[in-house]
Amino acid sequence: MSAALTQREVDVAVIGGGPAGVAAAFAARKEGAAKVVVFERDWEAGGILQQCIHPGFGLHTFGEELTGPEYMDRYLKLARESGVEFDLNTMVFQMDPPTLEGSGKQASFWTMNPQRGIERVKAKSVVLAMGCRERPAGALGIAGSRPAGVYTAGTAQRFVNMEGFMPGKKVVIMGTGDIGLIMARRMMLEGAEVVAVFEIMPWVSGLRRNIAQCLDDFGIPYYLEYNVCELHGKDRLEGVSVVQIDKNRKPVDGTLRFVGCDTLLLAVGLIPENELSKMAGLKLDSSTNGPVVNEFLQTSEECIFAAGNVVVVYDLVDFVSQQGERAGRSAALYAMRKLEKGPRDFQVETSPEIRVISPQKLSGGEDVTLFLRVAQPVEGRCRLYADPGIYSQNLRYARPGEMNEVKVSAEKLRALPSDVNSIKIGLEVL
Amino acid sequence: MIPVFRGDIPLQAQVKECGDYDIIIIGCGITGATIARELSRYKARTAVLERASDIPFGASRANSSMIHGGFDDEPGTAKAKFCPKGNRMYHSLSEELDFKLREFGSFVCAKGGQDERHLEMLYDQGKANGALGIEIVSGDKFREKEPNTASDITAALWCSSGAIVNNFEAALAFIENARQNGVDLFMETEVTGLLFDETRSAMRGVSTNRGNFNAPVVINASGVYADVISRMAGDDGFIIHPTRGEYFIFDRSVGDLVTSFLFSCPSEYGKGVTVTHTADDNLLIGPTSVQQTDRENRNTTPMGLDEAFDGARRLVPGIPRNMVITTFSGVRANTNTGDFYIKALDSPRGFINVAGIKSPGFTSAPAIAEHIGELIKDSLGDVVKLENDPAFVPTRKHIPRFIDLPMKERDRLASGDSRWGQIVCRCESVTEAQVVEAIRRGARTVAGVKLWVRPGTGRCQGGFCAPRVVEILARELGTSPLEITRHGGDSHMLTGRTKDPLLPGEPL
């Protein structure tokens, strides 16, 4: 590309200034990387947590219940004090496949900032922390008209919590994702009527505690195995048709009904934001929709690391920060040419009971926590295991809305017979 | 109320009620817009009346965005006459008027003997109509170019002159150039009646929700309402059968499944769903074809969407349903006659029907527009004199498309104006400067901005950019975000403010 454009060089570049990115940058500095820069497209760091003004964050990390901005503030303070630089209002819009540079690889990408224009950044290592986006209405193919008043829950949250505007007065929520549940409560507190929540699956996809605190406490009914199948209204939404569905997702005769509302909020899933990962040529996992990573959260390109919801959608921000720190530490070590991978090359495989898992590859280089979600709820005793014989734990239940952890020690991995090249993670009902 | 637009008069001064004109065009779809642009070559005073809040609105918004080669229409019909000519005109118009047109070419795909005979028939028709660049190729040759297509396609009719446009840009380009050359455009202006002279033998104008517009020539380009307007003038020579078609649009990441425009042959499954790589690199599939009485019903239906998807999969089996960005439907102005209905009435003199401009209407529009100019000169010369305007400027520029610019040009723009460095829509890399310019040029709603510069057309469907677009619209129009609508009328994006965090009287 043009040489006239400004070129910058950094040691560890972190793309995204949300909880994963800020934790990564902090950890990278702590590990000894000299120039660590967070590239954040918004005018302030914090990511989506800035609009999550409800409490419930940080129980694991700080042992107390914080709001999103409070939680973020603590990490931002740590990062700033450690010497992390923040490049705000700066969008990374293009990423090049890494190139060989001496003994290792080097990443490069392009940024745009309203004051400085376009710049090319070369980085010894990169941490991808772009988070995720919400699945929009269009992707669901809901039939009917195209009125105003259909928003994803996160967009509505931005309007209410950041801009001070109400997206509607009488609300139906489709899906039981956590943001939808949080917004059900938020809309009630702001004086709107929340008619009901409809979930297509036979189980809740968010956290149980959010069902209790956001729906039950406010008397908002929720219906499982119901689909919102049609939108009505020419200008503004006037109502939705809902229908009960059977095990094969087919409508049940006689259950179709009209529900009047002026707003439909969607909480039907989050998708890791991997446009840059694709440009960099990273190998993606078709079940997580994020990059394939190893225990260092290193992707298929050795100088690119990834953490947080860009890898796999987590249930708690504490885990996101934890993973961010791990990726930041690894990226710093890589930038200093000190990252030592383990001697082995294991593929993580799963039984059908497991829907997503990350990391997907292990080298036996470091103790690691695998994060996974089960495919469907098991309400009763079950056993989570890693074969051959390296982990086993009994659980009281396993639910898709809450992630499970499998802790695997590097030592145990290294001790496995040399003909073992895969680790099988599974769940059995007891 | 949303302002109407008059030539290059600044925004604030644009609200204008009615007026006296030589020619009034009812409807600003592609037909009205191309006629307006054609007539702007002349000194005549022309006004375009559009009932919607955004352009394009009807079938010109929701269609396959195809510039047809001209082989699909029976020789001797108006369609066969205008389509190949329109095709040739588009290739140069896209440069003059700076709208996106990509010369991808098209294939009609045959599966077996009966279909192949259909290809031969189309080939002969194409030759008779003067369609350019047509050739029948084998299934294998076809799959060399389109490797992701079904293995049971045995032959295909290639048409190298087939092209894809950004249909929003095209319609906007025609009307904007017309406005630059003095045509007045009135938005949210719905014709409620026609005005005649005392003997009802000549046109005097139209009445609208804004009052009367006077003109001795009235051109009916009102799409699905054309028969209603025509009947007001006493011509019931055609009936509009509104025909709804449903579409899917897919993420850019699967746009490359095909590199051209693919038609199916008509079959037991219907007239045939198409699959195309759009001008903006998405994948577009559809349409279905459902005749209905309602002119406004643009609903999508589970059945219709399944039909479109299944039809498309017969051409390209690997289309992934989970990569859908959105679905939409459009209502085409089919007529009972099956052909375009283009006719100047003897009485009342001055009334011209340009009706039933359905597929290949978008392609034919510039050729029809030229024909209308000639028609007025030939048969209405005594009423309106079409005298060349020496000040006519045939070119205009679209708002720079940031996503398509080379890196250096992006940097140049971003360094000169910080709004060019501020991305509003992440998915489609749309900058604040583009949104501001779209509003300056006439966008008044969230949908309007989207038609101009594409924020919200990407995979997140406005999840991130909608609040920003609302904010910029409110700022640029000097109004509250509460006044901003999705697509005009009562389609407000927001319903009120949140509770005040302070008690009354409490200091900040």
Side-chain angles (χ1 to χ4, degrees), chain B residues 68-121:
Chain B
H68 295 266
F71 50 77
D72 200 33
D73 305 298
E74 203 181 313
T77 59
K79 288 180 178 178
K81 174 180 160 192
F82 291 117
C83 179
K85 190 173 175 204
N87 177 295
R88 284 196 274 284
M89 292 173 76
Y90 264 100
H91 290 268
S92 53
L93 282 166
S94 76
E95 285 175 25
E96 258 180 38
L97 298 177
D98 190 24
F99 56 84
K100 242 189 203 184
L101 175 140
R102 299 178 74 181
E103 296 174 333
F104 289 148
S106 69
F107 284 106
V108 184
C109 305
K111 294 189 173 188
Q114 196 182 332
D115 284 359
E116 287 179 27
R117 282 191 292 283
H118 183 72
L119 294 191
E120 283 160 23
M121 188 275 285

Side-chain angles (χ1 to χ4, degrees), chain B residues 296-313:
Chain B
E296 298 290 335
N297 175 5
R298 285 177 299 278
N299 286 357
T300 53
T301 62
M303 252 170 60
L305 293 175
D306 282 346
E307 186 190 329
F309 192 71
D310 294 345
R313 278 213 166 172

Side-chain angles (χ1 to χ4, degrees), chain A residues 287-288 348-358 370-376 378 383-386 395 398 400 404-406 424-428:
Chain A
S287 55
T288 59
V348 176
E349 287 169 2
T350 53
S351 71
E353 289 76 23
I354 312 288
R355 188 169 60 83
V356 293
I357 193 158
S358 172
L370 303 171
F371 288 89
L372 63 93
R373 284 181 194 268
V374 294
Q376 49 185 325
V378 177
R383 185 177 78 93
L384 189 59
Y385 61 86
L395 306 171
N404 291 97
E405 298 168 54
V406 170
K424 174 85 175 269
I425 313 292
L427 183 80
E428 68 175 343

Side-chain angles (χ1 to χ4, degrees), chain A residues 144 151 155 166 189-190 236, chain B residues 300 410 463 492-493 495-496 499:
Chain A
Y151 295 105
T155 305
M166 291 294 283
L189 292 172
E190 288 293 347
R236 180 81 196 190
Chain B
T300 53
R410 292 187 194 182
H492 293 96
M493 296 287 286
T495 57
K499 288 178 180 170

Side-chain angles (χ1 to χ4, degrees), chain B residues 164-204:
Chain B
I164 314 294
V165 286
N166 176 320
N167 51 303
F168 311 153
E169 281 187 14
L172 288 166
F174 284 106
I175 191 61
E176 187 173 65
N177 186 234
R179 287 179 55 213
Q180 285 166 341
N181 288 304
V183 170
D184 290 345
L185 168 65
F186 294 83
M187 298 298 296
E188 298 187 344
T189 304
E190 188 165 357
V191 170
T192 50
L194 301 180
L195 307 172
F196 310 101
D197 69 353
E198 306 75 38
T199 58
R200 237 189 119 84
S201 60
M203 292 307 299
R204 201 167 58 70

Side-chain angles (χ1 to χ4, degrees), chain A residues 69 98 130 181 189 203 226 269 333 350 382 385:
Chain A
M130 293 88 75
L181 303 177
L189 292 172
W203 57 81
Y226 263 84
L333 288 170
T350 53
C382 48
Y385 61 86

